[in-house]
Every structure is written in structure tokens, then in C-alpha cells.
Amino acid sequence: MAEINPFKSLQEQIDDAAAYLDTGDDVIERLKYPERVLEATLSVDMDDGSVEQFQAYRVQFNGDRGPYKGGIRYHPNVTQAEVTALSGWMVYKCAVVDIPYGGAKGGIAFDPREYSESEVERITRAFAAELRPFIGEDRDIPAPDVNTGQREMNWIKDTYETLERTTEPGVVTGKAPSSGGSAGRVEATGRSTMLTAREAFDYLGRDIEDVTVAVQGYGNAGSITAALLEAEGATVVAVSDSKGGIYAADGLDTSAVKTHKRETGSVVGYPDADRELTNEELLTADVDLLVPAALENAVDAGIAREVRADVVVEAANGPLTPNADDVLTDRDVYVFPDILANAGGVTVSYFEWVQNRQRFAWTEDRVNDELERIVTEAFDRLVDTYESTDVPNFRTAAYVVAIERVADAFDDHGNWP
Ligand SMILES: NC(=O)C1=CN([C@@H]2O[C@H](COP(=O)(O)OP(=O)(O)OC[C@H]3O[C@@H](n4cnc5c(N)ncnc54)[C@H](O)[C@@H]3O)[C@@H](O)[C@H]2O)C=CC1
Ligand SMILES: O=C(O)CCC(=O)C(=O)O
């Protein structure tokens, strides 16, 4: 497959939506490019006494609606183009669910599984020290993404607070509750994916209890989506991770699969599966709902022609190439986009930030109720836009809603010469 630049995909998505908006071309052009890119080379001491260098990025794409917000990814394939796309998707995601943030994203190009815990800590603290002048609870607020979680967020908060000689828990979200993290943040991304799927099948007049599901990627987003869909009565028949997939016609026990992955490092080898699947077999499995929950560009046009699910709900950011999107639209497959379906993560990050600023912790029930309200309202707004305009699909509907909100904020605050 030819390499697809995710930043170009983002720009195409914006252009697709712009055709349905009155927003001026000059504003649309501005909304297609990042405001600021930080690239840092981190020189870090390794356990054996050597020094290794790591490329790190933080892209602040747009701050018209509030402080920059978005996760930090550790992965060998991290590039400036990828981080830029991810930062742009954050802008439109925050706008779709109407929370008061702009968008940013960060990443370090390395595989943390190849390093000791103390090496990962030094790499993270080195990055936090470089980020220090650019972040802050009113400026730019990092959070977890692929291969990062509470541990890394706690280190970033501690490094920042130590260097700034302050306490500012809202400088990052996705922290452990002991460091000011919110109840429900770990589950939040999967919860919004489940809520989007539930609303989608309801909208299509179908019972979630009759739905079979395949989930690509069994990390934070994928495994929680699978568990919450199972709790809603859906049957999760196929899941995968970077080592391969598994299938069980009568349904997998999502919790037992998670335990197996924790103990062995993969879903592969789970003893109660009927058989193993390749990545492509998983994406084209005969199911009602496909949830891509791994990385960008997982589904290209060739795979899209073979997808048998008639509903796709994106837990990952950018899992479909633009051509795959076109193929699925032509085939009348409903795609509910990432900027709605995985927005639960940043929404509960927002709740965490509010709690940090108020020094007042919410209960998990309150977090989940507020999240459900925000996701269902955003879903309804997308449906209204989809039905009242000529947009071809829910992704374009989502960008129409989001771009309008960002452009309004830009218009309202005016421009510098
Ligand atoms: N963690 C969060 O709060 C949020 C995550 N997301 C997005 O969700 C996606 C997954 O992120 P997380 O679950 O946080 O990461 P994670 O690191 O917890 O899990 C990623 C999973 O994807 C699997 N994977 C990687 N390559 C694969 C492949 N080719 N085929 C099948 N599985 C593969 C990995 O083995 C792992 O199980 C990313 O696109 C991320 O940007 C979006 C919103 C928030
Ligand atoms: O929780 C956050 O602030 C951002 C999560 C994230 O990186 C994402 O939604 O892709």
C-alpha cells in the first residue's frame, strides 16, 4: 500500500466539509495548518551508561476555542506529519463535543517496550522539561495516547511542577487518581465509542443485543469498547492486537481475553477462541459492527471493498484512508467518525481539568452521566446535520459542525494584522 500521509487526509476531510459551508476560503486555509510545531531531540542516559537520542514533537494546531489539548504517543512510527494530523483531529474533536479547547498532540519516536521503566521515566521527564515553556493548564494540556497512560502523565506533572515550583495538577490529564486524575478517565474513550455505537444502532432501528462486533486493537480504547459493548448485550466475536487476531462465533469473554493479554502480551493464544485471524481477516469479518481501535490507515480502499460490517465506529484516530472512506460511503456502509466516537477521552480529560481547577472530585457516576449527555447531544447534532444537508456521510457532517464552531470562534475574537 502506498504510504498515506495522515496530515493530507485531515486536509482532505476539511476540504470535503468546506464545500457545504459558507466559511471563507481564507479561514478554511488557516484551519488546515498548525499554528506551532515543537521538535526536540532528547539526549537521555541509558541504564548501561550510554546516551541515546530521541525525536520528540508537540504540535499546537489551533487555539481559537481554548487552550491546546491532546495526548502524547510513544511509538516507533511517530513522525511530525502524524503528530500534526493527530493535533488537527483534536481541534475538530473538541469542537464536535463542544468543549472549550483547541487541539494539540505530541509524540516521541520510540518503542517503550524496548526500554526499562527507569529509561522510559528519564525519556518522559526529558520531554516534559522541553515541553515546560509551552504547556500549562491555561496554555496546552497533554494527556495519554498510544503507549502512554497514568504513569507517564504523573511523571510529566511532577517534572513540570518541580521546575515551575508550583502545584498545577491541571497541566496534564489522564493522571492516576492519587495525583488528581478523574474517575472514569481510563474507560472514557471506549465508553464514548460504545455510546456512539449504541446510538448508531438505535438510529438505524436495530437492537444492539443482535449486533456482532469485531474490534481491531485491544489496548485502552479497544478493550474497553469491547467490554462495554458486551455489557450492552452485543456479541464480540473477533478482536486483535499487533500480534494477530482471534475469533469465537458464540462470542469472546472480553474480560478473560484482557486477562490473557495482560499475562501473555497478546490476545493470540487465548484458549477459548475457535480460531486465529490475520489483521485483514479481522477487518473483513462477517459482523455487523467493525471497531478499528489501533492506528491510522488500518483500512485502505482494497480492504474497504471487502468489509462486511455495515456499520463502522472509529475508536482509533484516522483508521480509514480517504479512499477507504469513499468506498464505504459508496457501499452504503455507515461510518461514525473518530472525532465523535473517541471523544470521550478528551471529554473526561476536560472533566478532570475542571475538577483540578476546583479542587473538587466528582463521583464516577457523575463523570459517566455527564459524558453520556455530551456524546448523545453531539450524536443528535450530527444526525440533524446529516439529514438536513446534502453531506454524503457522518464524517462530513461532523466536520461541518466542528469547522463552523472553530470558524465562529476565530471570527468572534478577530485577527491580528
Ligand atoms: N487512550 C486514549 O484516551 C485515546 C486513544 N485514542 C486512539 O485510540 C487508538 C488506540 O489508542 P490506545 O488504545 O490508547 O492505545 P494502546 O497503546 O492502549 O493500544 C493500542 C492497541 O493497538 C494494537 N495494534 C497496534 N497495531 C495494530 C495492528 N496493526 N493490528 C491490530 N492491532 C494493532 C496494539 O497491540 C494495542 O493493543 C489510537 O488511534 C489513539 O490515538 C483516541 C482517543 C483517546
Ligand atoms: O484526553 C485528551 O486530552 C486527549 C486524548 C487524545 O489524545 C485523543 O482524543 O486522541
Side-chain angles (χ1 to χ4, degrees):
M1 184 175 85
E3 195 78 1
I4 308 283
N5 179 335
F7 179 36
K8 298 278 172 234
S9 305
L10 164 73
Q11 293 183 319
E12 266 189 52
Q13 290 162 348
I14 295 172
D15 281 335
D16 287 347
Y20 299 90
L21 286 161
D22 292 333
T23 312
D25 291 349
D26 51 336
V27 177
I28 293 293
E29 276 311 295
R30 180 175 183 276
L31 299 184
K32 282 163 60 179
Y33 292 91
E35 290 175 6
R36 205 166 290 113
V37 178
L38 167 73
E39 178 169 4
T41 304
L42 312 174
S43 294
V44 182
D45 293 340
M46 298 289 103
D47 292 344
D48 65 4
S50 65
V51 175
E52 207 172 310
Q53 256 119 27
F54 301 86
Q55 284 316 108
Y57 308 89
R58 182 78 180 169
V59 180
Q60 296 174 336
F61 199 93
N62 182 288
D64 289 332
R65 300 183 78 254
Y68 305 99
K69 185 87 189 81
I72 290 186
R73 172 175 295 194
Y74 291 172
H75 194 277
N77 296 346
V78 161
T79 60
Q80 185 178 316
E82 182 192 51
V83 175
T84 303
L86 290 162
S87 71
W89 285 322
M90 286 309 306
V91 176
Y92 300 103
K93 183 183 307 187
C94 293
V96 160
V97 286
D98 208 6
I99 57 175
Y101 289 135
K105 200 84 173 198
I108 309 181
F110 84 117
D111 184 347
R113 285 168 303 189
E114 290 175 3
Y115 295 83
S116 71
E117 180 167 358
S118 58
E119 287 170 335
V120 175
E121 177 171 356
R122 287 196 293 278
I123 294 165
T124 304
R125 287 189 187 274
F127 190 30
E130 295 304 327
L131 287 174
R132 184 182 62 87
F134 299 89
I135 62 174
E137 68 178 14
D138 287 318
R139 188 171 298 173
D140 180 355
I141 305 134
D145 191 67
V146 173
N147 286 327
T148 61
Q150 294 182 341
R151 185 182 71 165
E152 289 73 17
M153 297 309 116
N154 294 351
W155 288 332
I156 294 173
K157 168 182 175 280
D158 181 62
T159 308
Y160 179 86
E161 291 185 333
T162 304
L163 294 174
E164 289 286 317
R165 297 192 299 139
T166 188
T167 49
E168 197 177 312
V171 65
V172 286
T173 58
K175 305 175 292 289
S178 57
S179 286
S182 177
R185 173 62 184 86
V186 169
E187 297 79 14
T189 305
R191 185 170 290 280
S192 64
T193 308
M194 175 279 284
L195 289 168
T196 302
R198 193 193 71 189
E199 294 300 299
F201 280 97
D202 190 47
Y203 168 71
L204 297 170
R206 291 163 62 181
D207 191 341
I208 193 81
E209 296 196 359
D210 298 332
V211 166
T212 54
V213 188
V215 179
Q216 184 211 30
Y218 213 65
N220 172 277
S223 68
I224 307 263
T225 302
L228 293 177
L229 282 169
E230 185 184 30
E232 289 292 311
T235 307
V236 179
V237 295
V239 303
S240 69
D241 59 30
S242 56
K243 300 198 174 119
I246 51 173
Y247 179 87
D250 293 335
L252 294 157
D253 175 339
T254 62
S255 158
V257 174
K258 195 166 183 173
T259 304
H260 177 80
K261 181 169 166 70
R262 190 168 50 240
E263 286 169 356
T264 66
S266 175
V267 299
V268 177
Y270 174 66
D272 292 329
D274 299 346
R275 60 191 166 90
E276 295 190 353
L277 296 174
T278 64
N279 185 40
E280 186 157 345
E281 284 168 342
L282 180 126
L283 294 168
T284 58
D286 188 7
V287 291
D288 302 301
L289 169 63
L290 172 64
V291 179
L295 296 171
E296 303 88 65
N297 299 333
V299 179
D300 63 12
I303 293 177
R305 280 183 212 103
E306 307 299 324
V307 163
R308 278 186 278 176
D310 49 10
V311 178
V312 177
V313 176
E314 297 178 331
N317 286 302
L320 310 188
T321 67
N323 288 343
D325 228 6
D326 292 343
V327 169
L328 292 175
T329 300
D330 288 347
R331 293 187 52 218
D332 294 328
V333 175
Y334 286 96
V335 176
F336 291 87
D338 45 8
I339 61 171
L340 169 70
N342 70 29
V346 72
T347 302
V348 175
S349 279
Y350 167 53
F351 299 158
E352 181 171 325
W353 181 77
V354 168
Q355 294 170 70
N356 291 158
R357 302 187 74 127
Q358 297 183 337
R359 303 291 199 266
F360 182 81
W362 298 4
T363 62
E364 187 163 354
D365 281 349
R366 180 172 176 193
V367 168
N368 290 344
D369 288 351
E370 290 285 346
L371 176 61
E372 180 160 351
R373 179 182 63 76
I374 285 183
V375 172
T376 52
E377 281 178 12
F379 184 93
D380 291 346
R381 177 69 196 269
L382 255 57
V383 168
D384 284 350
T385 306
Y386 178 70
E387 290 186 343
S388 63
T389 65
D390 294 332
V391 294
N393 54 37
F394 282 94
R395 188 186 314 282
T396 305
Y399 277 92
V400 164
V401 171
I403 292 172
E404 213 160 32
R405 286 183 176 149
V406 181
D408 278 353
F410 173 67
D411 276 348
D412 290 347
H413 70 53
N415 201 2
W416 285 72

